[in-house]
Amino acid sequence: MSESKSDRDPVTGLPVLELENKDVLQHIDMSRPLGLLIRGLLHHVDDSLDPAGVMREYMDRVPEGSYIAPTNY
């Protein structure tokens, strides 16, 4: 899947949540818990862009009972 400017948040420049992408959602059953790996993202998010808020956004969008595993290197 190629990325265009419209795939990025106009304020932060960060990629938009793929959990809003209809092409991605056709492969995910959002009525069931899922596992979400967030690898190597948060250390690129400047404090002024609220890294905790970025994680909160993911947490709010995944189904109840899901697991999120953020990692940085």
Coordinates of all heavy atoms in Angstrom, one line a residue:
M1 N 0.9 -1.2 0.0 CA 0.0 0.0 0.0 C 0.9 1.2 0.0 O 1.7 1.4 0.9 CB -0.9 0.0 1.3 CG -2.0 0.9 1.2 SD -3.1 0.9 2.7 CE -3.3 -0.9 3.0
S2 N 0.8 2.1 -1.0 CA 1.6 3.3 -1.0 C 1.0 4.4 -0.2 O -0.2 4.4 0.1 CB 1.7 3.7 -2.5 OG 0.5 4.1 -3.0
E3 N 1.9 5.3 0.3 CA 1.5 6.3 1.1 C 1.4 7.7 0.4 O 2.4 7.9 -0.4 CB 2.4 6.4 2.3 CG 2.0 7.4 3.4 CD 3.0 7.4 4.5 OE1 3.1 6.4 5.2 OE2 3.6 8.4 4.7
S4 N 0.4 8.4 0.5 CA 0.3 9.7 -0.1 C 0.2 10.8 1.0 O 0.0 10.5 2.1 CB -0.9 9.8 -1.1 OG -2.1 9.8 -0.3
K5 N 0.2 12.1 0.6 CA 0.0 13.1 1.6 C -1.3 13.0 2.3 O -1.4 13.3 3.5 CB 0.2 14.5 0.9 CG 1.6 14.9 0.7 CD 1.6 16.4 0.4 CE 3.0 16.9 0.3 NZ 3.4 17.6 1.4
S6 N -2.3 12.5 1.7 CA -3.6 12.4 2.3 C -3.6 11.3 3.4 O -4.5 11.2 4.2 CB -4.7 12.1 1.3 OG -4.5 10.9 0.7
D7 N -2.6 10.4 3.4 CA -2.5 9.4 4.4 C -1.8 9.9 5.7 O -1.6 9.2 6.6 CB -1.6 8.2 3.9 CG -2.2 7.5 2.7 OD1 -3.5 7.5 2.6 OD2 -1.5 6.9 1.9
R8 N -1.5 11.2 5.7 CA -0.9 11.8 6.9 C -1.8 12.9 7.5 O -2.5 13.6 6.8 CB 0.5 12.4 6.5 CG 1.4 11.4 6.0 CD 2.8 11.9 5.9 NE 3.8 10.9 5.8 CZ 4.4 10.3 6.8 NH1 4.2 10.8 8.0 NH2 5.3 9.3 6.7
D9 N -1.7 13.0 8.8 CA -2.4 14.0 9.5 C -1.9 15.4 9.1 O -0.7 15.6 9.1 CB -2.2 13.8 11.0 CG -3.0 14.8 11.8 OD1 -2.6 16.0 11.9 OD2 -4.1 14.5 12.4
P10 N -2.7 16.3 8.7 CA -2.3 17.6 8.3 C -1.6 18.5 9.3 O -0.7 19.3 9.0 CB -3.5 18.3 7.8 CG -4.7 17.6 8.4 CD -4.2 16.2 8.7
V11 N -1.8 18.2 10.6 CA -1.2 19.0 11.7 C 0.1 18.4 12.1 O 1.1 19.0 12.1 CB -2.2 19.1 12.9 CG1 -1.5 19.8 14.1 CG2 -3.4 19.8 12.5
T12 N 0.1 17.1 12.4 CA 1.3 16.4 12.9 C 2.2 15.9 11.8 O 3.4 15.7 12.0 CB 0.9 15.3 13.8 OG1 0.3 14.3 13.1 CG2 0.1 15.8 15.0
G13 N 1.7 15.6 10.7 CA 2.4 14.9 9.6 C 2.6 13.4 9.8 O 3.2 12.7 9.0
L14 N 2.1 12.9 10.9 CA 2.2 11.5 11.2 C 1.1 10.7 10.4 O 0.1 11.3 10.0 CB 1.9 11.2 12.7 CG 2.8 11.8 13.7 CD1 2.3 11.7 15.1 CD2 4.2 11.2 13.6
P15 N 1.4 9.4 10.1 CA 0.5 8.6 9.4 C -0.8 8.6 10.1 O -0.9 8.5 11.3 CB 1.1 7.3 9.3 CG 2.6 7.5 9.5 CD 2.7 8.7 10.4
V16 N -1.9 8.6 9.4 CA -3.3 8.5 10.0 C -3.4 7.0 10.4 O -2.7 6.1 9.9 CB -4.4 8.9 9.0 CG1 -4.3 10.3 8.6 CG2 -4.4 8.0 7.8
L17 N -4.3 6.8 11.3 CA -4.5 5.5 11.9 C -5.1 4.6 10.8 O -6.1 4.9 10.1 CB -5.6 5.5 13.0 CG -5.2 6.3 14.2 CD1 -6.3 6.3 15.2 CD2 -3.9 5.8 14.9
E18 N -4.4 3.5 10.6 CA -4.8 2.5 9.6 C -6.2 1.8 10.0 O -6.8 1.2 9.2 CB -3.8 1.4 9.3 CG -2.6 2.0 8.6 CD -2.9 2.5 7.2 OE1 -3.8 2.0 6.5 OE2 -2.3 3.4 6.7
L19 N -6.5 2.1 11.3 CA -7.8 1.5 11.7 C -9.0 2.3 11.2 O -10.1 2.0 11.5 CB -7.8 1.5 13.3 CG -6.8 0.6 13.9 CD1 -6.9 0.7 15.4 CD2 -7.1 -0.9 13.5
E20 N -8.7 3.3 10.4 CA -9.8 4.1 9.7 C -9.8 3.8 8.2 O -10.6 4.2 7.5 CB -9.5 5.6 9.9 CG -9.7 6.0 11.3 CD -9.3 7.5 11.5 OE1 -8.6 8.1 10.6 OE2 -9.7 8.1 12.5
N21 N -8.8 3.0 7.7 CA -8.7 2.8 6.3 C -9.6 1.6 5.9 O -9.5 0.5 6.4 CB -7.2 2.4 6.0 CG -6.9 2.2 4.6 OD1 -7.6 1.5 3.9 ND2 -5.8 2.8 4.1
K22 N -10.5 1.9 4.9 CA -11.5 0.9 4.6 C -10.8 -0.4 3.9 O -11.3 -1.5 4.1 CB -12.6 1.4 3.7 CG -12.1 1.9 2.3 CD -13.2 2.5 1.5 CE -12.8 3.2 0.3 NZ -12.5 2.4 -0.8
D23 N -9.7 -0.2 3.2 CA -9.0 -1.3 2.7 C -8.4 -2.2 3.7 O -8.4 -3.4 3.6 CB -7.9 -0.9 1.7 CG -8.5 -0.1 0.5 OD1 -9.6 -0.5 0.0 OD2 -7.8 0.8 0.0
V24 N -8.0 -1.6 4.8 CA -7.4 -2.4 5.9 C -8.6 -3.1 6.7 O -8.5 -4.2 7.0 CB -6.6 -1.5 6.9 CG1 -6.2 -2.2 8.2 CG2 -5.4 -1.0 6.2
L25 N -9.6 -2.3 7.0 CA -10.8 -2.8 7.8 C -11.5 -4.0 7.1 O -12.1 -4.8 7.8 CB -11.7 -1.7 8.1 CG -11.2 -0.7 9.1 CD1 -12.2 0.5 9.2 CD2 -11.0 -1.3 10.4
Q26 N -11.4 -4.1 5.8 CA -12.1 -5.3 5.2 C -11.4 -6.6 5.6 O -11.9 -7.7 5.4 CB -12.1 -5.1 3.7 CG -10.8 -5.3 2.9 CD -11.0 -5.1 1.4 OE1 -12.0 -4.7 1.0 NE2 -9.9 -5.2 0.7
H27 N -10.2 -6.5 6.1 CA -9.4 -7.7 6.5 C -9.4 -7.9 8.1 O -8.8 -8.9 8.5 CB -8.0 -7.6 6.0 CG -7.9 -7.5 4.6 ND1 -8.1 -8.6 3.7 CD2 -7.6 -6.5 3.8 CE1 -8.0 -8.2 2.5 NE2 -7.7 -6.9 2.5
I28 N -10.0 -7.0 8.8 CA -10.0 -7.1 10.3 C -11.4 -7.2 10.8 O -12.3 -6.4 10.4 CB -9.3 -5.9 10.9 CG1 -7.8 -5.8 10.4 CG2 -9.3 -5.9 12.4 CD1 -7.1 -4.5 10.8
D29 N -11.7 -8.1 11.7 CA -13.0 -8.2 12.3 C -12.9 -7.3 13.6 O -12.4 -7.8 14.6 CB -13.3 -9.7 12.7 CG -14.6 -9.8 13.3 OD1 -15.3 -8.8 13.6 OD2 -15.0 -11.0 13.5
M30 N -13.4 -6.1 13.5 CA -13.4 -5.2 14.6 C -14.4 -5.5 15.7 O -14.5 -4.8 16.7 CB -13.6 -3.8 14.1 CG -12.4 -3.2 13.3 SD -10.9 -3.1 14.2 CE -11.1 -1.6 15.1
S31 N -15.1 -6.6 15.6 CA -16.0 -7.0 16.6 C -15.3 -8.0 17.6 O -15.9 -8.4 18.6 CB -17.3 -7.7 16.0 OG -17.0 -8.9 15.4
R32 N -14.1 -8.4 17.3 CA -13.3 -9.3 18.1 C -12.0 -8.6 18.5 O -11.5 -7.8 17.8 CB -13.0 -10.5 17.3 CG -14.3 -11.3 16.9 CD -13.9 -12.5 16.1 NE -13.1 -13.4 17.0 CZ -12.5 -14.4 16.6 NH1 -12.5 -14.8 15.3 NH2 -11.8 -15.2 17.4
P33 N -11.5 -9.0 19.7 CA -10.2 -8.4 20.2 C -9.1 -8.7 19.1 O -9.1 -9.7 18.4 CB -9.9 -9.2 21.5 CG -11.3 -9.6 21.9 CD -12.1 -9.9 20.7
L34 N -8.1 -7.9 19.1 CA -7.0 -8.1 18.2 C -5.7 -7.7 18.9 O -5.7 -7.1 20.0 CB -7.2 -7.3 16.9 CG -7.4 -5.7 17.0 CD1 -6.1 -5.0 17.0 CD2 -8.2 -5.3 15.8
G35 N -4.6 -8.1 18.3 CA -3.3 -7.7 18.8 C -2.7 -6.7 17.9 O -2.7 -6.8 16.6
L36 N -2.2 -5.6 18.4 CA -1.7 -4.5 17.6 C -0.2 -4.2 18.0 O 0.0 -3.9 19.2 CB -2.5 -3.2 17.8 CG -2.1 -2.0 17.1 CD1 -2.1 -2.2 15.6 CD2 -3.0 -0.8 17.5
L37 N 0.7 -4.4 17.1 CA 2.1 -4.1 17.4 C 2.4 -2.7 16.9 O 2.2 -2.4 15.7 CB 3.0 -5.1 16.7 CG 2.9 -6.5 17.0 CD1 3.8 -7.4 16.1 CD2 3.2 -6.8 18.5
I38 N 2.9 -1.9 17.8 CA 3.3 -0.5 17.4 C 4.9 -0.5 17.6 O 5.3 -0.3 18.7 CB 2.6 0.6 18.2 CG1 1.1 0.4 18.0 CG2 3.1 2.0 17.9 CD1 0.3 1.4 18.8
R39 N 5.6 -0.6 16.5 CA 7.0 -0.8 16.5 C 7.7 0.4 16.0 O 7.5 0.8 14.9 CB 7.4 -2.0 15.7 CG 6.7 -3.3 16.3 CD 7.2 -4.5 15.5 NE 8.6 -4.6 15.6 CZ 9.4 -5.3 14.8 NH1 8.8 -5.9 13.8 NH2 10.7 -5.3 14.9
G40 N 8.6 1.0 16.8 CA 9.5 2.1 16.4 C 8.8 3.3 16.0 O 9.2 4.0 15.1
L41 N 7.7 3.7 16.7 CA 6.9 4.9 16.3 C 7.1 6.0 17.4 O 7.4 7.1 17.0 CB 5.4 4.5 16.2 CG 4.5 5.7 16.1 CD1 4.6 6.4 14.7 CD2 3.0 5.3 16.3
L42 N 6.9 5.6 18.6 CA 6.7 6.7 19.6 C 7.9 7.6 19.8 O 7.8 8.7 20.1 CB 6.3 6.1 20.9 CG 4.9 5.5 20.9 CD1 4.6 4.8 22.3 CD2 3.8 6.5 20.6
H43 N 9.1 7.0 19.6 CA 10.3 7.8 19.8 C 10.5 8.9 18.7 O 11.3 9.8 18.8 CB 11.6 7.0 20.0 CG 12.0 6.2 18.8 ND1 11.3 5.0 18.5 CD2 12.9 6.4 17.9 CE1 11.9 4.5 17.5 NE2 12.8 5.3 17.0
H44 N 9.7 8.7 17.6 CA 9.7 9.7 16.6 C 8.6 10.8 16.8 O 8.6 11.8 16.0 CB 9.4 9.1 15.2 CG 10.5 8.1 14.8 ND1 11.8 8.6 14.4 CD2 10.6 6.8 14.7 CE1 12.5 7.6 14.1 NE2 11.8 6.5 14.3
V45 N 7.8 10.6 17.7 CA 6.7 11.6 18.0 C 7.2 12.6 19.0 O 7.5 12.3 20.2 CB 5.4 10.9 18.5 CG1 4.3 11.9 18.8 CG2 5.0 9.9 17.5
D46 N 7.4 13.9 18.6 CA 7.8 14.9 19.5 C 6.9 15.1 20.6 O 5.7 14.9 20.5 CB 8.0 16.3 18.7 CG 8.7 17.3 19.5 OD1 9.9 17.2 19.6 OD2 8.0 18.2 19.9
D47 N 7.4 15.5 21.8 CA 6.6 15.7 23.0 C 5.5 16.7 22.7 O 4.4 16.5 23.3 CB 7.5 16.2 24.2 CG 8.4 15.1 24.7 OD1 8.1 13.9 24.5 OD2 9.3 15.5 25.5
S48 N 5.7 17.7 21.9 CA 4.7 18.7 21.6 C 3.5 18.1 20.8 O 2.4 18.7 20.8 CB 5.3 19.8 20.8 OG 5.7 19.4 19.5
L49 N 3.7 16.9 20.3 CA 2.6 16.2 19.5 C 1.9 15.2 20.4 O 1.0 14.4 19.9 CB 3.2 15.5 18.3 CG 3.8 16.5 17.3 CD1 4.4 15.7 16.1 CD2 2.8 17.5 16.8
D50 N 2.3 15.1 21.7 CA 1.6 14.2 22.6 C 1.7 12.7 22.3 O 0.7 12.1 21.9 CB 0.1 14.7 22.7 CG -0.6 14.0 23.9 OD1 0.0 13.5 24.8 OD2 -1.9 14.0 23.8
P51 N 2.8 12.1 22.5 CA 3.0 10.7 22.2 C 2.0 9.8 23.0 O 1.4 8.9 22.5 CB 4.4 10.3 22.7 CG 5.1 11.6 22.8 CD 4.1 12.7 23.0
A52 N 1.7 10.2 24.3 CA 0.7 9.5 25.1 C -0.7 9.6 24.4 O -1.5 8.6 24.4 CB 0.6 10.0 26.5
G53 N -1.0 10.8 23.8 CA -2.3 10.9 23.1 C -2.3 10.0 21.9 O -3.4 9.5 21.5
V54 N -1.2 9.9 21.2 CA -1.2 9.0 20.0 C -1.5 7.5 20.5 O -2.4 6.9 19.9 CB 0.2 9.0 19.4 CG1 0.3 7.9 18.3 CG2 0.5 10.4 18.8
M55 N -0.9 7.1 21.6 CA -1.2 5.7 22.1 C -2.7 5.7 22.5 O -3.4 4.7 22.3 CB -0.3 5.4 23.3 CG 1.0 4.9 22.9 SD 1.0 3.5 21.7 CE 0.1 2.3 22.7
R56 N -3.2 6.7 23.2 CA -4.6 6.7 23.7 C -5.5 6.6 22.5 O -6.5 5.9 22.6 CB -4.8 8.0 24.4 CG -6.1 8.0 25.2 CD -6.2 9.3 26.1 NE -5.0 9.6 26.9 CZ -4.2 10.6 26.6 NH1 -4.4 11.4 25.6 NH2 -3.1 10.8 27.4
E57 N -5.2 7.2 21.4 CA -6.0 7.1 20.2 C -6.1 5.7 19.7 O -7.2 5.2 19.4 CB -5.5 8.0 19.1 CG -6.3 8.1 17.9 CD -7.5 9.0 18.0 OE1 -7.5 9.9 18.9 OE2 -8.4 8.9 17.2
Y58 N -5.0 5.0 19.7 CA -5.0 3.6 19.3 C -5.9 2.8 20.3 O -6.7 1.9 19.9 CB -3.6 3.0 19.2 CG -2.9 3.3 17.9 CD1 -1.9 4.2 17.8 CD2 -3.3 2.7 16.7 CE1 -1.3 4.5 16.7 CE2 -2.7 3.0 15.5 CZ -1.7 3.9 15.5 OH -1.0 4.2 14.3
M59 N -5.6 3.0 21.6 CA -6.3 2.3 22.6 C -7.8 2.5 22.5 O -8.6 1.5 22.8 CB -5.8 2.7 24.0 CG -4.4 2.2 24.2 SD -3.6 3.0 25.7 CE -4.7 2.5 27.0
D60 N -8.3 3.7 22.2 CA -9.7 4.0 22.1 C -10.3 3.3 20.9 O -11.5 3.1 20.9 CB -9.9 5.5 22.0 CG -9.6 6.2 23.3 OD1 -9.5 5.5 24.4 OD2 -9.5 7.4 23.3
R61 N -9.5 3.0 19.9 CA -10.1 2.5 18.6 C -10.1 1.0 18.5 O -10.8 0.4 17.6 CB -9.4 3.1 17.4 CG -9.8 4.6 17.4 CD -9.0 5.2 16.3 NE -9.3 6.7 16.3 CZ -10.1 7.3 15.4 NH1 -10.6 6.6 14.4 NH2 -10.3 8.5 15.5
V62 N -9.3 0.3 19.2 CA -9.3 -1.2 19.1 C -10.4 -1.8 19.9 O -10.9 -1.2 20.9 CB -7.9 -1.8 19.5 CG1 -6.8 -1.4 18.6 CG2 -7.6 -1.5 20.9
P63 N -10.9 -2.9 19.6 CA -12.0 -3.6 20.3 C -11.6 -3.9 21.7 O -10.4 -4.1 22.0 CB -12.3 -4.8 19.5 CG -11.8 -4.6 18.2 CD -10.6 -3.7 18.4
E64 N -12.6 -3.9 22.6 CA -12.3 -4.3 24.0 C -11.7 -5.7 24.1 O -12.1 -6.6 23.4 CB -13.7 -4.2 24.8 CG -13.5 -4.5 26.3 CD -14.8 -4.3 27.0 OE1 -15.7 -3.6 26.6 OE2 -14.9 -4.9 28.1
G65 N -10.7 -5.8 25.0 CA -10.0 -7.1 25.1 C -8.8 -7.2 24.2 O -8.1 -8.2 24.3
S66 N -8.5 -6.2 23.4 CA -7.4 -6.3 22.5 C -6.1 -6.0 23.3 O -6.1 -5.5 24.4 CB -7.5 -5.2 21.5 OG -8.6 -5.4 20.6
Y67 N -5.0 -6.4 22.7 CA -3.7 -6.2 23.3 C -2.9 -5.2 22.4 O -2.9 -5.4 21.1 CB -2.9 -7.5 23.4 CG -3.3 -8.4 24.6 CD1 -4.3 -9.3 24.3 CD2 -2.8 -8.2 25.8 CE1 -4.8 -10.1 25.4 CE2 -3.2 -9.0 26.9 CZ -4.2 -10.0 26.6 OH -4.7 -10.8 27.7
I68 N -2.2 -4.3 23.0 CA -1.3 -3.4 22.2 C 0.1 -3.5 22.8 O 0.3 -3.5 24.0 CB -1.8 -1.9 22.3 CG1 -3.2 -1.8 21.8 CG2 -0.8 -1.0 21.6 CD1 -3.8 -0.4 21.9
A69 N 1.0 -3.7 21.9 CA 2.4 -3.9 22.3 C 3.3 -2.9 21.6 O 3.7 -3.0 20.5 CB 2.9 -5.3 21.9
P70 N 3.5 -1.7 22.3 CA 4.4 -0.7 21.8 C 5.9 -1.0 22.1 O 6.2 -1.5 23.2 CB 4.0 0.6 22.5 CG 3.4 0.1 23.8 CD 2.8 -1.3 23.5
T71 N 6.7 -0.9 21.1 CA 8.1 -1.1 21.3 C 8.9 0.0 20.7 O 8.5 0.6 19.6 CB 8.6 -2.5 20.8 OG1 8.5 -2.5 19.4 CG2 7.9 -3.6 21.4
N72 N 10.1 0.3 21.2 CA 11.0 1.3 20.6 C 12.4 0.6 20.5 O 12.7 -0.3 21.3 CB 11.1 2.6 21.3 CG 9.8 3.4 21.2 OD1 9.3 3.5 20.1 ND2 9.3 3.9 22.3
Y73 N 13.2 1.1 19.7 CA 14.6 0.5 19.6 C 15.6 1.6 19.8 O 15.3 2.7 20.0 CB 14.8 -0.2 18.3 CG 14.2 0.4 17.1 CD1 14.9 1.4 16.4 CD2 13.0 0.0 16.6 CE1 14.3 1.9 15.2 CE2 12.4 0.5 15.5 CZ 13.1 1.5 14.8 OH 12.5 2.0 13.7

